[in-house]
Amino acid sequence: MGSVSKLVYILCIIYLQKETIGLTCFSCLGITHPRFCKHVDTCNSGEICGLEKVVYPSGETTFNVGCFQSKTCYDNSTQSKVHETCRHCCSSDMCNDNGCGERGLTLSRGPICYHCDGALSMNECKTISVCEQNQFCFIEEQFSIGERFYTTNCQYKNVCDAVSGGMPIIGKKRSSIRSQIRSSACNMCCSGDLCNMDCWKSNLIAKTTTRTTEVTTTTKTTVTTTSKGNPRECSDINFDKQGVFTIYPRGDNHPKRVYCMVLNGIKWTVIQRRINGSTNFDKTWNEYKEGFGNVNTEYWLGNDYIHALTNNGLHMVHFILEPFNDTVRYADYSIFHIDDESTKYLLNVTGYSGNAGDCLDVDNIDGRTNGMKFSTKDQDNDRWSDNCATLDKGGWWYSACEYCNLNAEYGKSSPAWRYDLHGLVNNSLMMVTKV
């Protein structure tokens, strides 16, 4: 291949990668100047960055910036009885901070950085800040009760030096994240525009390198398939960073989104999570059967899926529990599985260890969860004269409404774990893995 052909080939690859990733453009409506836009969006295929300047007869001027259709976006000016409009279009990242006679951001600025506090995913972070010349982009990843949080902003060199040296950042605001359990945390500073998208990339990298690496990381995630051709649970998946994946515990025709975690090198499938009461757990039998909620926040995997998963070999269960105003506790049971719907999802759990207290396999029959059938507000299978699920507003393996129920109404009867925790639980995480 000749040198010219090689150059054309490389340019085509770069163009195709850019089309696949999509341009990042400033995105604001009705602002007084494009320099004041503090929001970005990733354009879809066939879109480019655009700026629209609208001048009204009164002299008032407003600007709209964002992603425009490339087929219809071109530089022009039009005038009507109501206003005069100028449009400017461009095809590089964040190029729509200027146009129609308006100057853009000064060249003497620092990097443009993502600026979000406590985002659940960096894909949710669209707010930006323009840093000063002596500042860097910063990202911190934190882990709390099975949840990842991201804080991004501009930071001065002394803070970044502390980060690179492994020193803690002192005095950082954490108002949006409560009860931290700092594990698998990452801190990083970098110098390129919007380089603080991924905490696990190398330091001082340019934005284009970061975006290309993200695509590589996404395609690199491989799957260790079962005999059916798909992973039945998280331990069948080859992943480096915990997050949301698709599993097939009931076979190829029943995909299920689930949160997968790694703790001390062991891969876990999360079957229940509660962190803030955002999901209503007062559901019907069929809803508990199929599962409900949001795998990124609070959810119940579904009894049919838990049955299929825990009956595919021996499994153990791990509970992470955070009581109100107390330290995080845990409980492990070396044997855990539930039977099918014909038995009302009868629970089999034993072999306790941990520091939360044995709340499932106790001697008292009124408090014992082990050996109980599942109950919901429309199917009463407990030992009590009334319906515990109606009383506590959540489905569970009740005996006589005592001791344990992690699906109770949040904030009232509240998720409960008696014994060593002496009552109510603020956050809970329930996960299983193969033994």
Side-chain angles (χ1 to χ4, degrees):
M1 183 183 293
S3 58
V4 175
S5 299
K6 289 181 179 179
L7 177 61
V8 172
Y9 175 77
I10 293 172
L11 291 175
C12 287
I13 292 297
I14 293 174
Y15 174 79
L16 288 173
Q17 287 178 337
K18 178 62 68 176
E19 285 295 307
T20 301
I21 297 172
L23 290 175
T24 298
C25 305
F26 289 105
S27 180
C28 294
L29 298 177
I31 55 177
T32 56
H33 197 280
R35 291 198 305 267
F36 300 148
C37 183
K38 303 299 182 184
H39 188 274
V40 294
D41 266 333
T42 301
C43 296
N44 296 319
S45 176
E47 292 181 329
I48 57 177
C49 298
L51 175 149
E52 190 175 65
K53 178 180 179 181
V54 182
V55 181
Y56 295 91
S58 63
E60 179 187 1
T61 302
T62 62
F63 293 85
N64 302 316
V65 294
C67 298
F68 290 42
Q69 286 292 327
S70 58
K71 293 182 180 179
T72 58
C73 190
Y74 51 89
D75 292 0
N76 71 327
S77 296
T78 59
Q79 189 165 359
S80 68
K81 295 180 180 180
V82 180
H83 53 70
E84 179 182 351
T85 302
C86 171
R87 177 173 286 189
H88 169 72
C89 305
C90 52
S91 56
S92 59
D93 286 331
M94 297 183 295
C95 59
N96 57 336
D97 64 330
N98 67 90
C100 293
E102 303 295 333
R103 293 183 178 181
L105 297 169
T106 176
L107 295 177
S108 60
R109 64 173 173 83
I112 298 173
C113 306
Y114 287 107
H115 191 146
C116 293
D117 188 10
L120 292 176
S121 166
M122 279 306 298
N123 291 328
E124 299 176 358
C125 183
K126 302 295 183 182
T127 305
I128 56 98
S129 287
V130 180
C131 301
E132 299 176 16
Q133 279 187 290
N134 58 343
Q135 288 183 317
F136 295 87
C137 295
F138 171 79
I139 179 171
E140 181 179 38
E141 180 179 297
Q142 300 170 339
F143 183 63
S144 174
I145 310 296
E147 194 105 55
R148 287 187 183 274
F149 295 93
Y150 299 88
T151 297
T152 53
N153 51 39
C154 300
Q155 289 289 355
Y156 289 99
K157 185 177 184 299
N158 64 326
V159 176
C160 291
D161 289 343
V163 169
S164 61
M167 298 168 58
I169 296 174
I170 306 299
K172 183 170 173 54
K173 179 182 178 182
R174 307 187 191 280
S175 59
S176 66
I177 308 174
R178 71 176 196 263
S179 305
Q180 298 301 315
I181 307 172
R182 298 292 300 276
S183 64
S184 302
C186 169
N187 299 319
M188 188 197 79
C189 289
C190 54
S191 59
D193 283 347
L194 301 185
C195 61
N196 58 336
M197 165 62 81
D198 192 325
C199 196
W200 297 92
K201 306 306 175 188
S202 59
N203 198 6
L204 300 178
I205 52 178
K207 179 197 171 196
T208 52
T209 304
T210 302
R211 294 173 70 85
T212 303
T213 306
E214 286 176 355
V215 175
T216 303
T217 302
T218 300
T219 56
K220 184 182 71 173
T221 302
T222 56
V223 174
T224 304
T225 58
T226 65
S227 59
K228 295 286 187 179
N230 284 304
R232 291 188 179 274
E233 57 188 279
C234 293
S235 60
D236 297 328
I237 302 174
N238 180 18
F239 62 95
D240 299 321
K241 293 170 60 177
Q242 50 210 26
V244 178
F245 295 86
T246 301
I247 60 173
Y248 299 79
R250 295 174 56 193
D252 293 343
N253 296 326
H254 299 277
K256 190 71 170 177
R257 299 286 280 172
V258 69
Y259 199 92
C260 297
M261 293 184 61
V262 180
L263 296 176
N264 299 322
I266 301 175
K267 297 176 181 178
W268 298 85
T269 303
V270 177
I271 62 176
Q272 187 260 22
R273 179 162 62 169
R274 302 192 77 178
I275 56 174
N276 55 19
S278 60
T279 297
N280 177 19
F281 274 65
D282 187 18
K283 302 292 187 179
T284 65
W285 181 267
N286 285 334
E287 287 172 309
Y288 269 100
K289 174 181 177 178
E290 294 297 329
F292 56 85
N294 184 340
V295 292
N296 290 301
T297 54
E298 298 192 331
Y299 73 98
W300 180 259
L301 183 66
N303 289 338
D304 267 2
Y305 292 93
I306 298 172
H307 161 70
L309 194 157
T310 59
N311 280 269
N312 180 34
L314 296 177
H315 283 73
M316 65 179 294
V317 63
H318 179 62
F319 293 87
I320 299 178
L321 307 162
E322 182 183 1
F324 285 95
N325 301 318
D326 200 355
T327 57
V328 174
R329 306 292 185 90
Y330 74 93
D332 289 317
Y333 291 86
S334 58
I335 295 176
F336 175 85
H337 68 91
I338 68 172
D339 293 340
D340 61 18
E341 188 176 13
S342 67
T343 69
K344 307 299 182 182
Y345 301 113
L346 189 75
L347 176 65
N348 298 271
V349 58
T350 190
Y352 165 79
S353 63
N355 62 4
D358 184 1
C359 199
L360 301 183
D361 192 24
V362 298
D363 293 333
N364 185 346
I365 185 61
D366 289 335
R368 187 185 307 157
T369 301
N370 185 28
M372 296 299 127
K373 300 175 182 179
F374 201 84
S375 291
T376 59
K377 61 184 179 181
D378 58 340
Q379 278 216 32
D380 182 10
N381 299 310
D382 59 46
R383 298 178 59 256
W384 189 42
S385 58
D386 209 335
N387 188 345
C388 295
T390 301
L391 175 67
D392 287 348
K393 298 186 182 301
W396 193 252
W397 295 278
Y398 294 101
S399 178
C401 312
E402 294 289 334
Y403 302 113
C404 296
N405 174 16
L406 296 179
N407 292 341
E409 183 180 18
Y410 198 88
K412 291 187 178 180
S413 46
S414 198
W417 189 279
R418 308 296 180 186
Y419 290 100
D420 288 7
L421 298 195
H422 306 296
L424 306 183
V425 175
N426 190 28
N427 300 316
S428 68
L429 197 65
M430 185 176 176
M431 59 188 86
V432 298
T433 192
K434 291 179 181 177
V435 177

